[in-house]
Amino acid sequence: MRVGTRKFACSCILAFIADTIALFASLPERERTALEARCRRLKIPAQSFLYHEGQAGDAVYVLVSGRVGIWSGGERGDPVLLAILGPGEMFGEMAILSNERVRTASTQALSKVEVIQILRADIEALRQRFPRISDVFIEALLRLVQRLTTQVSELSELDSTTRLYRQLWRLGEVYEKRRVGAEIPISQQQLASMTGVGLRITNRVLNEARAEGVLETGKKRIVVNDWTVVRRRAGLRFRPG
């Protein structure tokens, strides 16, 4: 994997983080300046892996642009796509905060991406000098736990069709494409994997939606024509404006 990297001595890195992760914005200027000095910005080619499951966790990342996929397993079959993350998301924090220090999943660039990288050694040094910096990474871990809890809850409480439509709704947000005719670059296999629904059922649900004109499907793409229907079938209520 080739990466382009350079250290920034300006406020542009943390300005981006502060806009997307509230706890960074809440840090005092001294802590923010110290953290900024340890940040590196990396450019990752599409389809490259930032790290693999089982490797030592030596850094945490914040996604600046592009999309990354979080994968698990694969030793006894196809790996499972757990999530797709968009700009502003932090990932890799589990290995940073865990005593085991081992990656529990693999992360792949689904497109060209830019990330902010902060090495584990730098984080540990900063946490000793500035204890409040720990709050940022703990908050990120809590968000991860919340996301996983929601996934487990939906697996047990929602039927397959509802879960598929809910995942489509989320992907519209991740790709910022909740508009008519916008293309979401995901295959039916990946959608099935993320939702925990068999491919046969996924194909049936999407084929029915396609016949109704709700969406269109192609090779590694889904185009939604009616987000109102998607939201309704996802079991999500519209909030009054």
Side-chain angles (χ1 to χ4, degrees):
M1 175 185 68
R2 292 184 178 180
V3 297
T5 176
R6 59 191 176 112
K7 291 189 176 182
F8 280 62
C10 60
S11 60
C12 56
I13 289 179
L14 286 193
F16 170 81
I17 299 178
D19 287 342
T20 55
I21 300 178
L23 276 178
F24 274 99
S26 68
L27 285 175
E29 183 177 356
R30 183 179 62 170
E31 279 85 340
R32 291 182 62 185
T33 300
L35 188 58
E36 176 187 79
R38 306 298 180 101
C39 291
R40 296 194 301 170
R41 198 159 183 166
L42 309 179
K43 294 184 179 181
I44 313 296
Q47 306 308 313
S48 297
F49 281 85
L50 284 84
Y51 52 79
H52 291 276
E53 185 175 356
Q55 289 182 335
D58 61 354
V60 67
Y61 300 86
V62 178
L63 187 58
V64 177
S65 63
R67 306 296 183 277
V68 298
I70 310 298
W71 300 83
S72 179
E75 294 183 1
R76 299 183 178 180
D78 293 331
V80 176
L81 180 59
L82 301 177
I84 295 177
L85 306 181
E89 294 284 353
M90 182 184 291
F91 57 95
E93 68 279 11
M94 181 72 80
I96 293 296
L97 298 175
S98 170
N99 290 330
E100 295 184 359
R101 304 188 179 190
V102 175
R103 298 293 187 192
T104 57
S106 302
T107 298
Q108 182 185 30
L110 301 180
S111 62
K112 292 181 180 179
V113 304
E114 289 189 53
V115 297
I116 293 168
Q117 180 197 62
I118 313 173
L119 298 178
R120 182 189 184 102
D122 289 335
I123 293 172
E124 290 179 344
L126 288 170
R127 287 166 66 185
Q128 291 185 11
R129 291 176 55 201
F130 309 109
R132 287 192 60 179
I133 286 179
S134 295
D135 294 343
V136 174
F137 302 101
I138 292 173
E139 174 64 20
L141 184 59
L142 290 174
R143 289 170 61 182
L144 171 63
V145 171
Q146 183 179 30
R147 184 172 73 238
L148 294 176
T149 300
T150 298
Q151 289 178 336
V152 171
S153 175
E154 291 180 354
L155 280 171
S156 61
E157 297 177 4
L158 300 180
D159 61 78
S160 299
T161 298
T162 303
R163 296 206 310 271
L164 285 166
Y165 278 105
R166 190 162 294 191
Q167 191 61 252
L168 272 178
W169 180 261
R170 291 194 185 111
L171 288 170
E173 180 177 3
V174 170
Y175 282 98
E176 302 174 348
K177 289 185 175 181
R178 282 202 200 125
R179 59 182 186 275
V180 176
E183 180 178 301
I184 299 175
I186 186 172
S187 69
Q188 296 182 42
Q189 177 65 63
Q190 289 173 328
L191 179 62
S193 178
M194 292 180 67
T195 315
V197 176
L199 183 58
R200 181 178 60 83
I201 296 176
T202 299
N203 289 339
R204 175 179 59 78
V205 171
L206 293 181
N207 286 338
E208 291 173 354
R210 184 171 56 191
E212 296 171 326
V214 175
L215 53 79
E216 303 169 21
T217 60
K219 186 177 181 181
K220 294 186 178 181
R221 69 183 183 92
I222 297 176
V223 179
V224 177
N225 297 322
D226 195 330
W227 285 104
T228 301
V229 171
V230 170
R231 180 163 187 165
R232 184 175 69 248
R233 293 180 179 176
L236 300 171
R237 296 181 179 180
F238 285 95
R239 295 178 182 177

